Amino acid sequence: MRNYSEFLAEVLISEEELQTRIKEMGQQISEDYKDSKNLLLICILRGGVMFLTDLMRQIHIPHAIEFMAVSSYGLGARETTGQIRISHDLNTDIHDRDVILVEDIIDSGHTLSSVLDMLSTRKPKSLEVCTLLDKAERREVSVPVKYVGFTIPNKFVFGYGLDLDDYYRHLPFIGVVDENKYQAESDE
Ligand code: PRP
């Protein structure tokens, strides 16, 4: 596997900036849900995993976690459509619970919109969204988002849960890909 430094155009959000913001978000959630009896964080696999595990350590009230996996049909690997398929559903009944969906990034909004519609039918007490990154200018469908870590420009980002052809999710920062360099090396 190539070293990411060969195609890293810039570090968009450093590890320190991420952790500082995530601490703030955790404190805000802890305050907002201090009276909740049954807070549940639901992570949408796979990109949200890094964010979830750091965020939950900054939430200082009792809460549970769950995971679900969805895949989208159509377009390409880097774009989604409105149609999703649940490939791993929750093992928990969310009826009457306070639910926060945890995402790494919102792009078109299609994934989240579909997941929200589907989870709403299960009648949670409350249902909110917490995303680390928001590519707001790419939005095609409006989604209500309560917590946003960073609003970012329309750049091809990777790291901290976000993959580049399935790799580099482990990086502790959000980087921007130099697509010319990445493509050139991929073609070698
Ligand atoms: C990413 C991200 C969101 C979705 C956002 O997942 O984690 O779930 O795309 O895109 P949208 O707003 O245009 O619907 P991806 O499909 O890349 O899967 P992954 O998390 O497993 O990498």
Side-chain angles (χ1 to χ4, degrees):
M1 186 46 52
R2 294 188 302 276
N3 190 309
Y4 66 83
S5 61
E6 294 168 20
F7 46 78
L8 177 69
E10 60 172 311
V11 173
L12 188 65
I13 309 171
S14 70
E15 179 175 6
E16 188 183 3
E17 289 171 318
L18 284 171
Q19 296 303 328
T20 299
R21 182 73 186 112
I22 291 167
K23 189 169 185 178
E24 291 172 358
M25 297 174 87
Q27 286 172 344
Q28 187 67 55
I29 290 170
S30 304
E31 174 63 26
D32 292 348
Y33 288 85
K34 63 179 186 295
D35 297 325
S36 174
K37 303 275 187 290
N38 53 21
L39 178 59
L40 175 67
L41 308 184
I42 298 178
C43 174
I44 303 178
L45 296 170
R46 292 160 286 180
V49 167
M50 293 271 275
F51 180 40
L52 174 82
T53 55
D54 281 343
L55 179 67
M56 64 188 288
R57 282 177 281 188
Q58 300 297 342
I59 297 177
H60 303 297
I61 56 173
H63 61 278
I65 61 168
E66 255 286 10
F67 297 89
M68 64 185 298
V70 300
S71 39
S72 53
Y73 293 109
L75 298 180
R78 290 172 192 162
E79 292 179 309
T80 61
T81 67
Q83 298 169 298
I84 64 162
R85 181 176 65 86
I86 300 170
S87 47
H88 172 75
D89 204 344
L90 304 172
N91 291 315
T92 302
D93 182 5
I94 64 169
H95 177 72
D96 217 20
R97 296 191 71 165
D98 289 311
V99 173
I100 303 177
L101 273 180
V102 177
E103 265 283 25
D104 53 339
I105 188 166
I106 307 173
D107 194 325
S108 69
H110 286 302
T111 303
L112 208 46
S113 176
S114 301
V115 171
L116 285 170
D117 284 350
M118 193 263 297
L119 292 182
S120 297
T121 65
R122 303 181 189 185
K123 305 281 183 237
K125 183 178 177 197
S126 64
L127 180 58
E128 302 288 356
V129 174
C130 176
T131 187
L132 179 66
L133 307 177
D134 183 2
K135 258 190 198 177
E137 68 189 75
R138 289 261 303 171
R139 198 76 85 254
E140 292 174 11
V141 53
S142 173
V143 281
V145 185
K146 186 165 186 180
Y147 305 100
V148 177
F150 301 87
T151 300
I152 62 168
N154 184 20
K155 294 184 175 181
F156 186 5
V157 289
F158 72 116
Y160 198 74
L162 288 89
D163 74 304
L164 191 50
D165 294 332
D166 282 335
Y167 287 88
Y168 307 107
R169 293 186 197 269
H170 65 288
L171 297 174
F173 57 84
I174 300 288
V176 176
V177 182
D178 182 327
E179 294 194 58
N180 290 329
K181 287 184 182 167
Y182 182 68
Q183 196 56 47
E185 290 173 19
S186 301
D187 292 342
E188 279 175 8

